[in-house]
Amino acid sequence: MAEIKTPTPHIAARRGEIAETILLPGDPLRAKYIADHFLEDAVQFNATRNMFGFTGTYRGKPVSVMGTGMGCPSIGIYSYELIHAYGCKNLIRVGTAGAMQPHVKIRDMVFGMGACTDSRYVRQFRLPGDYSCICSFGLLEKAVAAAQAKGLTCHVGNILSSDVFYNPDLPPAGKTWAEMGVLAVEMEAAALYSNAAAAGVNALCILTVSDSLVTGESTTAEERQTTFTNMMEVALELV
Ligand code: HPA
């Protein structure tokens, strides 16, 4: 694995200041919220571009948390540096998604077993076909067990990492993602999963459904907070 020098262009930490397990919300203020409310003895390691990152402990175990920004290019940069410069081994995205199936309700959790994508990010690996971006089975198994133990509804399956949030509603050329069983849409998992696979490390994307493309419903700010706390309880079981 190619190692890159620290500090990197986007992360101001020195090697050793970031834990092997890192939680990755899209929003850097979410990272600060997680550090303040869920971690002990959290120390900030990054503020470059206000992409806040912290390392602390959870039940005595070291864990870091850092924002990724939105989209495959942004999480692609941060996850690459976290893996290759800082030695991160377990990268867990915690985010929101839009439901694409009627049985996936707002407030539910979705674990991305696979991530389809309309992004060109994965093409960098120049594979002779379409790569299946998949999560770490070990992390997924633990996340499912944690959600079940807490009585939380979770769906496990394919998600779509799309480059386009404001998607023009064009008729598809062939099948729709929903017709292929894709559960929900977000914007980052495919880049995270392919970077992790290329480096031989573990990744998982845990989502709460913030809105439904099927019904047009969306969660209130209060509901987003509650579902976020549920998702964090699952994510922290992976530390
Ligand atoms: N699209 C992409 N990302 C999202 C969405 C969506 O509808 N909802 C939450 N994250």
Side-chain angles (χ1 to χ4, degrees), residues 89-107:
K89 300 278 185 250
N90 302 300
L91 296 95
I92 303 153
R93 164 165 153 71
V94 285
T96 57
M100 298 177 84
Q101 299 288 340
H103 70 281
V104 179
K105 310 285 187 203
I106 59 167
R107 299 183 294 272

Side-chain angles (χ1 to χ4, degrees), residues 93 95-99 160 162 164-166 184-188 207-213:
R93 164 165 153 71
T96 57
L160 170 65
S162 177
V164 188
F165 185 89
Y166 296 103
V185 56
E186 52 85 68
M187 304 185 79
E188 292 84 17
L207 304 161
T208 57
V209 176
S210 59
D211 52 276
S212 171
L213 278 62

